[in-house]
Each structure stands twice: as structure tokens, then as C-alpha cells.
Amino acid sequence: MRGHSFSQFIPNELPKGGFEELLKLFLELLNYTSGDANEAIAWMNELDKQYKLTTDEYGMGDFIDDLKKKGYLGDDDQNPGGFKITSKAEQTIRQSALEEIFGKLKKSGKGNHNSNISGLGEEKNADRREYQFGDSLDQIDMTASIHNAQINHGIGDFSMTERDLEVEEKDYKTITSTILMIDISHSMILYGEDRITPAKKVAMALAELIRTKYPKDTLDIVVFGNDAWPITLKELPYLQVGPYHTNTYAGLELAVDLLRRRKTHNKQIFMITDGKPTCLKEGTKYYKNSIGLDRKVVNKTLNMAAQCKRLGIPITTFMIARDPYLQQFVRQFTETNGGKAFYSSLQGLGEYIFEDYIKNRRRTVR
């Protein structure tokens, strides 16, 4: 038996020069600079000094000129001499996020996922059955039906009866309305860990997935700190953490209100957070307590989780914190709602959310 031999691992060098290679780095940096093109270019200049990203033939000035020519960069009227990204750049960021996250998952077949109800629907599946009165003609598998007729009646005296007809089953397609809640409290950038950038990338990738593969589905994005408010897809790259506490109740309340307006059977909430609820709004004032688990804040949040359960809205919580007492709260919250919880690292956050989104689209419509 030959066994194995080992050699020194030498990582690939950073690609040098060329618009496409530099564009990938520029788009990635835009996620970290919250869409600030000037800061991203400044970072690229520093990286170029350290790692020599450009060549004598193609410099950083050439790259900036190409960004403008190709429609990724425009002049910033409010900042003379500065730049701002264009709508083309925003869409490319979403597409890059989708390729990064969805490329790690198994490819889906048709691009539409179905409920487990067989019968009259829109998407063919592998099941076959005999023809029944009322079946449409386009459901008949003619190849299989002719084969049945040959077996049943012979080739010499060929005939086909109703009993020879074989029908392809179809599945009902589901339409899902999803709310993605993103915690933008100050703790999302504390302790030297950037948690908001992965959350933004997941939101952009999920939005691009729905836009391209599930166009009938809906996605609303809600951010929550001291208050909660919806944001548009265009605002996502520029999203920043604020000096906020965590008003989970307000986020859920807004999410439920948005879902009530959606005329779909399947509704769900995905919540990305790294901490416990610490804030409530009472009239025009804020009740805040960051020490421990405040009973007043927690109980009101749990009541909202129970209300979502009564409305048939499951909540999937993606908890990006490892503190045992915080995980205990999430378990209680999940039990109250009947949803699910993932204690996810930042690295695997996107794959978790995508897998759960696709899986949830397959549940039965009631």
C-alpha cells in the first residue's frame, strides 16, 4: 500500500492587475465600508502598497477610470472630488453575495420549490398514476401510455383505452412571504467582531435569490435597535450599526404588521441577532436595561412570539452569540413561538439561512 505523502502548502498569491480581479476586491470592501466608495478605494491603495495588487502596466488610477467607464462608479456631487457607487455596483454586490453563499449549497433543480401536496398543480414530479376523469390532456405521458398499450394489447392489434393512459402528477407551488430582521444595536460591532457585515451580505444574497429564482415570493427587511423600521434593498449596502439598545419587540411588531398585508399562505420571520432584548418604547420614552435579562422586556417579547404562533408565523432565530444565558433565552423564545433556533457562527450564517429558507418553502399550505 503506497500511503500518503505530504508537502508544504503554498497559498496562491493575490491576483495582480486586471480589472476583474480588482473589482472583486473592491466589491468585497464595499460591504465593510457600508457602501463608501472613497473609503474602499483608500483601503485598496493601502493594500496595493503592501501586497502590490497592481502592475506597472495597470495601476490603481486605471482601475478607477475603468470603474467609471463601466458604470460602477460616479462622481459624488455632495463631495467634490469624491466618488459614489452606482445602482449597477449595488446589484453586482448582491449578485456576488449570492454566488458566495448559494454556491456552497446544492443546486436546486427547477428553481421553484413545492409543497408536498400532489395533484393539479404547476410543476411535474416523478410520480405516475392511471388517468382519472378530469385530468387535463397535458398531464398524459404519451410515451408511457403507448408503452402500456403495447404491453396490454400487443403490437399486431394495437389499440389504446382509457386504462392504458398514464398521468404525470404535478405539485402545487408555494409562495412565501419572508421578513428578515437584522439587529443593528451597538453590540453587533463590539468586542472586535464585525457581525453586521455578514448579516448585510446574507440579506443582499437572499434578496437576489428571491428576485431571480422565486420572483413571486416577497422579502421585506426590518432593522431594529431602539426602534424598528423597514429598509429597502437599495439601502442595504449602506446599513450601519447605531448607538442602540435591542428592541426585539418593536422589530417583531413591525414584521407582523408587514406580513398581515401579504396575501400569501406561507409567512415566516428570520431574525439575526447577537443579544438579548434590552429595550421597549413606552409612549415617547424608552425603557432600557442592558444588565441581565429584564423580566419586563423579556415577557413582552415572549408575548409577541406567542402572538406570531397564533397567527401561524414561525420565527427562525439565528443567534450569533455563545453566552449560555443568552442561548437559554433564545430556547425559551423558540419554544414559545414553536419556531427554530440556530446558534450559528458568522462564517456559516449564510448557508444556514439559505437552507432553512428553501426548506420552509416546501411545507404544506394549509
Side-chain angles (χ1 to χ4, degrees):
M1 187 173 181
R2 295 183 61 185
H4 302 277
S5 62
F6 297 90
S7 61
Q8 183 181 4
F9 172 70
I10 303 175
N12 294 327
E13 293 185 0
L14 287 172
K16 295 181 180 180
F19 176 78
E20 294 299 329
E21 289 78 11
L22 294 175
L23 177 62
K24 292 177 183 177
L25 177 59
F26 178 66
L27 295 174
E28 182 67 20
L29 289 174
L30 285 174
N31 288 310
Y32 291 92
T33 63
S34 297
D36 188 329
N38 301 300
E39 186 179 356
I41 291 173
W43 283 18
M44 290 194 70
N45 281 319
E46 290 300 317
L47 290 171
D48 188 27
K49 290 179 184 177
Q50 186 171 354
Y51 297 104
K52 297 179 172 56
L53 302 179
T54 60
T55 65
D56 292 340
E57 291 74 28
Y58 191 85
M60 196 59 66
D62 297 316
F63 174 63
I64 294 173
D65 288 341
D66 283 346
L67 283 175
K68 297 174 71 174
K69 291 176 184 177
K70 295 178 184 293
Y72 292 99
L73 207 60
D75 294 324
D76 189 351
D77 297 333
Q78 298 180 351
N79 180 20
F83 304 106
K84 63 179 180 180
I85 61 174
T86 63
S87 58
K88 180 179 180 179
E90 293 167 354
Q91 183 178 4
T92 307
I93 293 171
R94 297 197 301 269
Q95 291 172 343
S96 298
L98 175 61
E99 291 170 4
E100 176 186 340
I101 295 172
F102 198 60
K104 298 177 183 178
L105 302 177
K106 293 180 179 179
K107 301 296 184 182
S108 59
K110 299 286 186 178
N112 285 290
H113 298 277
N114 312 304
S115 72
N116 56 7
I117 303 175
S118 291
L120 183 61
E122 302 177 52
E123 184 80 21
K124 295 178 181 179
N125 63 30
D127 296 334
R128 298 291 188 273
R129 60 171 172 80
E130 290 185 3
Y131 175 84
Q132 297 175 356
F133 179 77
D135 289 333
S136 60
L137 294 178
D138 65 336
Q139 284 183 261
I140 298 175
D141 185 340
M142 294 306 300
T143 302
S145 299
I146 292 173
H147 179 68
N148 294 339
Q150 289 176 340
I151 294 175
N152 295 335
H153 309 292
I155 298 177
D157 186 20
F158 179 81
S159 64
M160 180 182 291
T161 67
E162 184 178 312
R163 295 189 62 183
D164 301 321
L165 298 179
E166 190 167 314
V167 170
E168 297 174 311
E169 284 279 38
K170 291 188 177 182
D171 289 332
Y172 290 102
K173 288 183 180 178
T174 62
I175 299 175
T176 301
S177 292
T178 302
I179 302 289
L180 182 60
M181 290 175 52
I182 302 177
D183 184 349
I184 58 168
S185 61
H186 186 58
S187 60
M188 290 287 278
I189 54 170
L190 282 181
Y191 316 116
E193 187 173 44
D194 177 11
R195 297 165 177 173
I196 190 64
T197 299
K200 287 194 299 183
K201 289 178 70 173
V202 167
M204 288 187 288
L206 187 59
E208 192 66 12
L209 174 74
I210 290 174
R211 190 184 70 82
T212 56
K213 296 177 72 67
Y214 310 110
K216 293 184 179 179
D217 281 13
T218 65
L219 174 68
D220 293 284
I221 303 166
V222 169
V223 296
F224 61 105
N226 290 348
D227 298 286
W229 62 93
I231 64 171
T232 63
L233 188 58
K234 187 175 179 62
E235 295 175 273
L236 257 179
Y238 311 99
L239 184 63
Q240 296 181 348
V241 167
Y244 306 125
H245 285 66
T246 308
N247 193 343
T248 309
Y249 176 87
L252 292 171
E253 186 178 41
L254 177 57
V256 169
D257 184 54
L258 291 171
L259 286 175
R260 278 190 174 126
R261 305 174 193 176
R262 299 296 184 184
K263 306 302 181 183
T264 54
H265 293 285
N266 291 337
K267 300 177 181 181
Q268 60 187 354
I269 296 173
F270 288 165
M271 180 169 64
I272 304 173
T273 183
D274 72 332
K276 60 186 181 293
T278 60
C279 177
L280 293 172
K281 190 171 185 180
E282 300 177 325
T284 58
K285 297 182 179 180
Y286 294 96
Y287 175 86
K288 303 173 184 178
N289 183 6
S290 298
I291 302 174
L293 288 169
D294 187 289
R295 181 183 300 178
K296 180 177 180 178
V297 179
V298 167
N299 286 345
K300 195 161 186 181
T301 305
L302 292 176
N303 288 340
M304 180 56 70
Q307 181 180 341
C308 289
K309 182 178 182 179
R310 289 192 295 271
L311 294 171
I313 303 173
I315 303 169
T316 304
T317 305
F318 297 89
M319 186 69 171
I320 46 179
R322 298 290 182 180
D323 307 66
Y325 84 102
L326 294 179
Q327 293 186 1
Q328 182 180 359
F329 161 73
V330 172
R331 280 193 290 270
Q332 185 180 7
F333 178 87
T334 303
E335 289 174 4
T336 303
N337 172 255
K340 287 179 287 186
F342 294 92
Y343 305 97
S344 170
S345 65
L346 292 173
Q347 186 175 3
L349 180 63
E351 290 86 73
Y352 273 122
I353 290 182
F354 270 53
E355 287 177 350
D356 205 58
Y357 170 74
I358 293 172
K359 187 183 300 181
N360 285 355
R361 294 196 81 257
R362 294 174 176 151
R363 72 178 184 270
T364 304
V365 181
R366 288 184 172 86

